[in-house]
Every structure is written in C-alpha cells, then in structure tokens.
C-alpha cells in the first residue's frame, strides 16, 4: 500500500527531469483548454475571455502546486523522453506515403467526421456555446493554435490530434522506463519491451490510424487527458486532498473532451478509492481519512450513475459509419485483465494509479458484456467504446508487467503474465480488420475515401491567385467529399459556403450563388465522384446532379493543377 507523502515534499524534478516537466506542462495546458470549454459552455463567455480566464486559473493552480512541491516516484527524465520521440517518429514513418512523404497524416489526409468537427467548432466559437454536448476542449485548442500562429484549420486539428498521441506514447515511455529500472535480467527486460511495444501497437496505433482517417478527432483527443491522469496517479506522490483534486480535474477534462468513457472513468475512480478504504492502515493517524475516502467513493459512484443515464440513448444511436470490428474478442479482452489484476491486488503490488488503470479496463469490459447480453444493437458508438480503455491498458502495460515479473511465486508470475498477454492477443484479434486500412495507408492507395486530403495547398494557392487577379472575394469551394470541402472553405475564410453541406450532409442547404464580386470553385466532377462513389454512391449521385447544374453556368473555366510530383487535379472556376 502506498503511503501519503503530502504536498510539502521536495521537488526532485528540477534536475534532469525534462520528461516530468513536459508531461506536467501538457497536463496544465489540457486542463486549461478543458476549463475554457467549460466556461464557454456554461457561461457563454467569449472564446478569448474564456480561454484567458481558464489559463489564469490553471496558472494559479500551478503556482500553488509549485510552492507546495511535488515528488515524482519514477525518474522519467531525458532518456525516456528521447525514447518517446523515437517511438513517435516510428508512428509517422509507418504511415509513409509514396507521393506525399512521412507527414501525410499531419493535416494532409482524413475522412468524413472531420467535416463535422470544423463546422461544429464554428458553431461553438461563433454562435452556440453548447454545441456538441460541450465536448469542445479540442475546439478550444485548435482555435488557440490558429489564433496565436495563423496556421490553417487542417494543420491545427492535426497538431492537436497528434500531440495527444505523442502524450500517450510519452506516458508509455515513462512507464517502460519505470518498469525497466527494477529489472536486472536482460532477458526479462527484452520480454518486457517486446510485450509492451506490442500492446502499444495493437491496442493504440492501428485503431488510431483508422479513427483519425475517419475524422473521429474528438474521440481520439480523449487520449491526452486519460493518459495524463494515469501518469499523474502512477508517478506523482500527493496527499489525500491533492489526489481528490487531481481526480476531479481529470473528470472535468474528460467531460469536456469526449464523454463516451466518462461514466467508466468515474466508476473506476469509485472502485479505486474503495480499494484505498479497504487497504489503508487502520491506525489512529489515518482514521480520519477513511470517511473522507468513503465520501469520495460515493460521489464518484453517483457521478458515474448520472453519466451512464446520460449515455443511455447512445446505445441506440446509429448515426455515422464505422468499419466492422471483431467486437466479440474486444468484449472479452478485459476479463483476463481482471483476473491478473486481482493477483496483484492480493499480493499488494497495485498502487492507486495502476489500480485505476485496471479498474477502467474492468468496468469497460463489464459494460460491453452487459451490452452484448442485453441484446442491444452493435451500432456506431459501441464500436468506438473500447478504444480509450484499451489504449490506457496498453499505456500501463510496462508497469503492470514489471509488477507481475516481481511476484515471488513463479506460478503467480507466469499466470498473471499469461493472462495479460491474453488481453493483448484478444485486442489484436478485435482490431484485426483495421490492419487492411493500415496497409492501404502505408502503400498510398487513394481508392479509399478515408485517406483523401483535408486541404490541398496547391489548390488553395491557385484560388488565392485567381481572386487577386480577378479582384474578387472568395465565394466558396464545393466538393463531393464534404470534409475536404469544409476544410478548404475554412482555410480560405468562408464559413457561409458550408451551407452547401450542413454538418456533413447534402440533404439540406443550397449553393452560395456567385455574384459579381465573388468567385466560386469546385473540383472536376469526374475526379471527385470516382474517389467518393465507392463508399457512398447515392450521395455522390446527388452531389453530381447539383454540381452539374453549377457547371452549366456561363463563364465556367477549368484548369489542371499539379498537386504532387505525380498527380494533377482539375479545378473549375465561376466568376460571373
């Protein structure tokens, strides 16, 4: 059982602890954008006022934390930080594209739901603070990047998204460094590295690539606060009040990032605090904390029940599309984790952070099994539900396996490691259908809608040059691939043109009719429809009919533009 060290400990991270400082800074930034989303959502403050207020509150909290001090149990440091950078480079290189290079995923390619997010972000910033149920921390972060640097929206979304993945990989590296530090055997170190990297790949990187390409940005943004909260609880020694405050702030961050796993997180917190109540010493010095921990347990449990109630309609929501996964193995994947974690609990090898990680896995597994047993439909959100808990399990895997390796009994050690490896195997089986997409992405196959570009810089440059030559304003860009259309319009500063595709659907809205002071642009019908028709022939036909009417207008001109060393696109222009 871990001991409480209070908030008055020394600050050893001042020396050679770049990794701890980096993750602590990331925690502060993500907390600030989550608070800004909360202030905008509940008080309707202007985005700049909400963001400034949130960062000031976070800075005040950081100052108090600095004055009181924090102590880190694990030495993360520069070597683990370098290892995280190496792993992240491998992630990017694994998605190398023969035409566009290794950074194809950082803002150059994505799929459908990204179009929703850029529109919903504008609703959130300019008109409707309660947009998207308040899951808007990602929107604040992207707006802040654009506001401070002037970068286009596709780049800000990509940076925010991949920053979350880097944080997750950095947390993984910190746990790996911590786990390896206690193991002297070379063979055991090699086994720990192999098993942990395998868990990271099959439970995080492969599904991440697919979800990113489908544009599930808000869902993937949950990786940042979830991983940072796990890192804090595993590596930072804080007292009772500090732990409760950190748990509350983590819940706030998850609430305003993407609430799909908020109920599971609160239920896992309740289980973890209950574990503290059961396991903490019964001596007089600790007696006063037991009612406090019990109260926090009940609050977390009530919060979880409220979140589950709010989440219930999602069980029947089929909105949006997602590739079929092997949900049976994913449903069962957490059961071996439950058995293995019970072994560690019985042997006293589980601290607060690791108990929280395993509890999150166990709770999510129970929810999935209940969902399946109740005969509820396997719809859109059901397929996204396991990703964050499995990613957290993957992140915690080095620490978990290191604790298993330190068990005294060979039988217990073998059993717990085998059970955990079974989790990895079931997770790999569950996400196996995504491997086909990973292959398409690696080889640069453009036949799939899921890997079309969000923004084409050469087309943007041509549009800007045309407007300057004509002395006109931008009247809108139209394309059958609605995510591409939305981000192109955002990059060129015309939100009004999105009436063409309201929230990603062409069922409502109309063209922004070009006037004598504007020009409108669209991609050649043949090229665009060929790319889109594979996945949505009905929608492609509808768009084709609309664009056909626009293309019959007098004065339409079309130009072939080089977009890479080996490909061209045809852009049509109408300047009445």
């Amino acid at each position: 059982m871990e001991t409480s060290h209070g908030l008055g400990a020394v600050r050893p991270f001042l020396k050679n602890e770049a990794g701890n400082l980096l993750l602590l800074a990331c925690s502060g930034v993500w907390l600030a954008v989550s608070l800004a989303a909360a202030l905008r959502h509940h008080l309707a403050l202007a985005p700049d006022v909400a963001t400034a207020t949130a960062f000031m509150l976070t800075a005040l909290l950081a100052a108090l934390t600095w004055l009181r001090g924090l102590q880190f149990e694990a030495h993360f440091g520069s070597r683990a930080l370098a290892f995280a950078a190496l792993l992240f480079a491998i992630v990017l290189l694994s998605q190398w594209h023969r035409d566009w290079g290794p950074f194809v995923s950082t803002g150059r390619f994505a799929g459908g739901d990204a179009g929703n997010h850029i529109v919903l972000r504008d609703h959130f910033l300019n008109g409707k603070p309660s947009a998207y149920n308040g899951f808007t921390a990602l929107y604040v972060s992207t707006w802040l990047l654009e506001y401070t640097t002037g970068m286009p929206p596709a780049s800000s979304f990509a940076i925010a998204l991949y920053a979350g993945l880097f944080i997750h990989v950095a947390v993984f590296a910190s746990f790996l460094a911590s786990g390896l530090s206690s193991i002297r055997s070379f063979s055991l170190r090699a086994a720990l590295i192999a098993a942990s990297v395998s868990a990271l790949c099959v439970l995080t990187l492969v599904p991440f690539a697919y979800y990113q390409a489908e544009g599930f940005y808000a869902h993937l943004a949950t990786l940042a606060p979830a991983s940072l909260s796990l890192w804090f609880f595993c590596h930072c020694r804080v007292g009772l009040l500090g732990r409760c405050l950190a748990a509350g702030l983590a819940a706030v961050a998850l609430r305003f990032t993407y609430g799909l796993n908020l109920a599971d997180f609160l239920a896992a917190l309740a289980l973890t605090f209950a574990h503290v109540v059961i396991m903490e010493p019964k001596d007089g010095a600790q007696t006063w904390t037991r009612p406090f921990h019990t109260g926090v347990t009940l609050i977390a449990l009530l919060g979880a029940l409220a979140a589950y109630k709010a989440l219930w309609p999602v069980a029947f929501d089929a909105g949006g599309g997602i590739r079929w996964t092997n949900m049976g193995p994913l449903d069962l994947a957490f059961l071996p984790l439950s058995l293995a974690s019970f072994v560690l609990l019985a042997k006293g090898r589980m601290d607060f952070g690791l108990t929280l990680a395993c509890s999150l896995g166990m709770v999510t597994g129970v929810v999935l099994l209940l969902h399946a047993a109740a005969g509820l439909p396997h719809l859109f959100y059901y397929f996204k539900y396991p990703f964050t808990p499995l990613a957290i399990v993957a992140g915690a895997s080095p620490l978990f396996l290191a604790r298993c390796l330190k068990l005294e009994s060979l039988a217990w050690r073998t059993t717990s490691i085998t059970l955990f490896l079974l989790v990895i195997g079931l997770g790999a089986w569950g996400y196996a259908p995504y491997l086909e997409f990973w292959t398409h992405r690696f080889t640069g196959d453009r036949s799939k809608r899921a890997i079309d570009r969000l923004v084409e810089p050469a087309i943007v440059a041509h549009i800007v040059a045309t407007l300057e030559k004509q002395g006109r304003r931008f009247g809108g860009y139209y394309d059958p691939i609605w995510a591409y259309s939305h981000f192109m319009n955002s990059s060129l500063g015309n939100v009004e043109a999105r009436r063409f595709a309201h929230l990603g659907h062409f069922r409502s809205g109309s063209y922004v009719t070009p006037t004598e002071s504007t020009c409108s642009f669209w991609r050649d019908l043949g090229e665009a429809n060929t790319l889109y028709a594979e996945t949505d022939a009905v929608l492609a036909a509808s768009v084709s009919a609309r664009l056909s009417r626009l293309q019959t207008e007098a004065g339409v001109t079309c130009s072939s533009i080089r977009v890479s060393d080996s490909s061209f696109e045809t852009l049509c222009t109408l300047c009445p």
Side-chain angles (χ1 to χ4, degrees):
M1 179 66 202
E2 65 176 301
T3 58
S4 177
H5 296 271
L7 289 176
V10 296
R11 295 187 290 270
F13 58 77
L14 289 174
K15 183 179 180 181
N16 194 31
E17 286 303 316
N20 281 332
L21 286 175
L22 172 66
L23 291 179
L24 202 58
C26 290
S27 301
V29 170
W30 198 261
L31 174 61
V33 298
S34 299
L35 290 176
L39 292 171
R40 172 76 175 149
H41 177 79
H42 289 294
L43 303 180
L45 298 179
D48 51 352
V49 175
T51 304
T53 302
F55 271 87
M56 285 190 291
L57 291 173
T58 305
L60 178 61
L61 178 63
L64 293 174
T65 302
W66 179 266
L67 290 174
R68 296 302 302 259
L70 275 179
Q71 186 176 5
F72 290 88
E73 293 182 339
H75 296 290
F76 180 31
S78 56
R79 285 182 296 176
L81 185 60
F83 180 60
L86 175 63
L87 282 175
F88 190 68
I90 293 173
V91 172
L92 294 181
L93 290 172
S94 70
Q95 301 179 62
W96 183 283
H97 190 282
R98 60 191 175 195
D99 284 335
W100 292 288
F103 300 106
V104 28
S105 302
T106 56
R108 302 295 293 274
F109 277 73
D113 211 39
N116 277 345
H117 286 300
I118 191 65
V119 175
L120 287 168
R121 190 189 71 166
D122 283 332
H123 287 326
F124 168 70
L125 293 175
N126 301 315
K128 190 177 180 182
S130 59
Y132 201 38
N133 300 304
F135 304 147
T136 48
L138 175 67
Y139 301 162
V140 174
S141 64
T142 55
W143 168 79
L144 187 60
L145 284 169
E146 294 166 33
Y147 183 81
T148 55
T149 67
M151 67 176 60
S155 297
S156 70
F157 272 84
I159 289 174
L161 185 68
Y162 272 79
L165 179 59
F166 178 80
I167 288 170
H168 180 70
V169 173
V171 168
F172 166 87
S174 75
F175 291 145
L176 186 57
S178 177
L180 292 175
S181 65
S182 62
I183 297 175
R184 299 290 176 258
S185 168
F186 175 81
S187 60
L188 289 180
R189 279 176 170 249
L192 177 63
I193 292 173
S196 301
V197 173
S198 298
L200 180 74
C201 290
V202 301
L203 302 185
T204 301
L205 302 186
V206 169
F208 182 96
Y210 175 79
Y211 291 151
Q212 182 268 337
E214 283 290 352
F216 299 150
Y217 285 179
H219 180 51
L220 294 174
T222 308
L223 272 181
S227 297
L228 287 169
S229 62
L230 178 62
W231 164 79
F232 186 87
F233 287 125
C234 284
H235 284 349
C236 296
R237 296 178 180 179
V238 294
L240 173 62
L241 294 178
R243 179 184 292 158
C244 294
L245 176 62
L249 293 176
V252 169
L254 287 172
R255 160 62 184 89
F256 289 95
T257 300
Y258 193 73
L260 192 59
N261 298 107
L262 175 62
D264 289 357
F265 181 79
L266 290 171
L269 275 177
L271 286 176
T272 307
F273 275 107
H275 165 248
V276 173
V277 173
I278 295 170
M279 297 297 293
E280 77 175 352
K282 308 296 192 298
D283 56 61
Q286 297 291 329
T287 301
W288 72 273
T289 68
R290 294 175 64 79
F292 195 95
H293 274 120
T294 303
V296 173
T297 301
L298 293 175
I299 291 172
L301 183 59
L302 291 174
L305 293 175
Y308 280 125
K309 181 180 179 180
L311 194 64
W312 177 248
V314 167
F316 307 94
D317 190 347
I322 189 170
R323 186 171 184 151
W324 187 261
T325 57
N326 297 326
M327 287 306 298
L330 292 178
D331 291 346
L332 298 172
F334 296 106
L335 292 183
L337 177 67
S338 303
L339 298 174
S341 61
F342 287 147
V343 173
L344 292 184
L345 280 170
K347 298 296 181 179
R349 299 289 186 180
M350 296 274 277
D351 57 16
F352 190 91
L354 203 53
T355 303
L356 177 61
C358 291
S359 296
L360 179 60
M362 289 187 284
V363 169
T364 302
V366 169
V367 170
L368 289 172
L369 289 171
L370 289 176
H371 187 286
L376 293 173
H378 290 184
L379 298 174
F380 182 59
Y381 289 99
Y382 180 73
F383 291 109
K384 295 200 294 182
Y385 201 85
F387 173 73
T388 298
L390 277 169
I392 291 299
V393 168
S397 63
L399 203 56
F400 188 93
L401 289 171
R403 301 290 173 82
C404 293
L405 290 169
K406 292 173 66 177
L407 289 172
E408 295 79 6
S409 168
L410 177 61
W412 283 120
R413 187 160 62 238
T414 303
T415 301
S416 56
I417 293 174
T418 301
L419 289 171
F420 186 82
L421 292 178
L422 186 58
V423 176
I424 299 176
L426 289 170
W429 184 11
Y431 285 134
Y434 296 147
L435 291 173
E436 180 187 351
F437 170 76
W438 182 283
T439 303
H440 280 292
R441 194 164 187 164
F442 183 79
T443 59
D445 185 350
R446 294 196 69 201
S447 66
K448 304 297 182 184
R449 172 181 63 85
I451 54 172
D452 193 47
R453 293 176 182 245
L454 279 180
V455 170
E456 177 46 70
I459 300 294
V460 172
H462 182 86
I463 290 174
V464 171
T466 300
L467 294 173
E468 291 177 350
K469 181 179 179 180
Q470 296 284 341
R472 305 284 189 97
R473 292 181 295 105
F474 177 62
Y477 178 88
Y478 309 109
D479 196 276
I481 300 175
W482 51 273
Y484 183 55
S485 177
H486 289 342
F487 273 90
M488 288 288 285
N489 280 296
S490 298
S491 298
L492 289 157
N494 191 317
V495 178
E496 183 69 12
R498 297 199 194 105
R499 286 190 299 166
F500 174 70
H502 177 63
L503 292 185
H505 299 286
F506 290 84
R507 293 192 294 267
S508 61
S510 60
Y511 295 109
V512 177
T513 306
T515 66
E516 291 184 357
S517 62
T518 64
C519 293
S520 293
F521 305 85
W522 62 95
R523 185 157 42 166
D524 176 77
L525 282 173
E527 295 178 3
N529 281 319
T530 298
L531 189 63
Y532 202 85
E534 279 196 15
T535 54
D536 200 331
V538 175
L539 182 56
S542 172
V543 176
S544 176
R546 291 179 179 229
L547 287 180
S548 294
R549 290 195 297 271
L550 184 60
Q551 198 150 354
T552 59
E553 297 282 342
V556 173
T557 60
C558 297
S559 305
S560 182
I561 300 170
R562 181 188 294 272
V563 296
S564 72
D565 292 339
S566 60
S567 60
F568 294 80
E569 287 186 4
T570 302
L571 180 71
C572 296
T573 305
L574 177 58
C575 299

